[in-house]
Amino acid sequence: MNFSPDGTRIVSASHDQTIKIWNNQGKLLKTLYGHSGEVESVSFSSDSQMIASGSKDHTIKIWSRDGVLLNTINVYIGPIYSVSFSPDNKKLAAGSDDGRLRLWDIDLDQLKEKACNQVSNYLHNPDANVDESDRHLCDGIDIELKKPPSH
């Protein structure tokens, strides 16, 4: 379990292969599916915009704070028991059952851009169930707003 650095969310790992995102009042916001093994570790990035999860399925997944899957890192070293972003969000550390620590260079700006391209229409939809503060998550990130299909 991990609190977001901005204090607005909590993320929890589960042995039912899911990740749950909660608000800071304990209300479940979203359940994330994607791992095929027990999820052992979750961690927010220092800017609270990304979540990393490590699993017994030998993968690390990186999600947007709203639960959009951005990237999967296949790790051939065994189950992942611990994941953590560096303070500058440029590295991801993972620990496995072999007792070693591994580091990956990551580009969170590219991942944020990818996430914002996927969720921008939803965030700007006035009918979407989105907190007003979350509508501005992608402000300042270069995104391509997709136009709805014309009828």
Side-chain angles (χ1 to χ4, degrees):
M1 185 174 311
N2 188 250
F3 276 90
S4 62
D6 67 7
T8 62
R9 303 210 174 174
I10 303 164
V11 65
S12 62
S14 179
H15 284 193
D16 69 1
Q17 304 175 3
T18 67
I19 298 147
K20 294 188 182 338
I21 301 173
W22 313 80
N23 70 14
N24 60 4
Q25 307 297 309
K27 178 185 174 198
L28 179 63
L29 300 175
K30 192 162 193 175
T31 300
L32 310 182
Y33 301 91
H35 283 289
S36 61
E38 297 173 2
V39 181
E40 295 294 325
S41 180
V42 288
S43 179
F44 272 98
S45 59
S46 65
D47 63 1
S48 302
Q49 299 302 307
M50 302 288 159
I51 299 166
S53 59
S55 171
K56 286 187 174 179
D57 68 4
H58 303 216
T59 67
I60 297 168
K61 294 189 181 290
I62 301 175
W63 313 79
S64 73
R65 71 181 267 129
D66 291 318
V68 175
L69 180 61
L70 303 175
N71 197 15
T72 299
I73 302 170
N74 291 304
V75 183
Y76 303 103
I77 55 174
I80 302 300
Y81 290 105
S82 180
V83 291
S84 183
F85 288 95
S86 63
D88 64 3
N89 296 322
K90 293 185 183 211
K91 292 195 182 292
L92 185 66
S96 65
D97 65 354
D98 68 356
R100 296 174 64 193
L101 173 74
R102 291 182 174 75
L103 296 171
W104 286 268
D105 291 320
I106 55 175
D107 185 347
L108 280 186
D109 289 333
Q110 181 182 21
L111 290 174
K112 284 181 197 175
E113 185 177 322
K114 182 178 178 182
C116 286
N117 280 326
Q118 292 179 8
V119 300
S120 61
N121 287 341
Y122 179 73
L123 292 175
H124 292 96
N125 181 344
D127 296 327
N129 184 19
V130 176
D131 289 340
E132 189 57 36
S133 62
D134 287 345
R135 291 191 186 279
H136 303 285
L137 289 172
C138 294
D139 290 359
I141 296 174
D142 189 23
I143 58 173
E144 297 175 27
L145 287 176
K146 297 178 183 87
K147 296 182 179 168
S150 57
H151 297 287

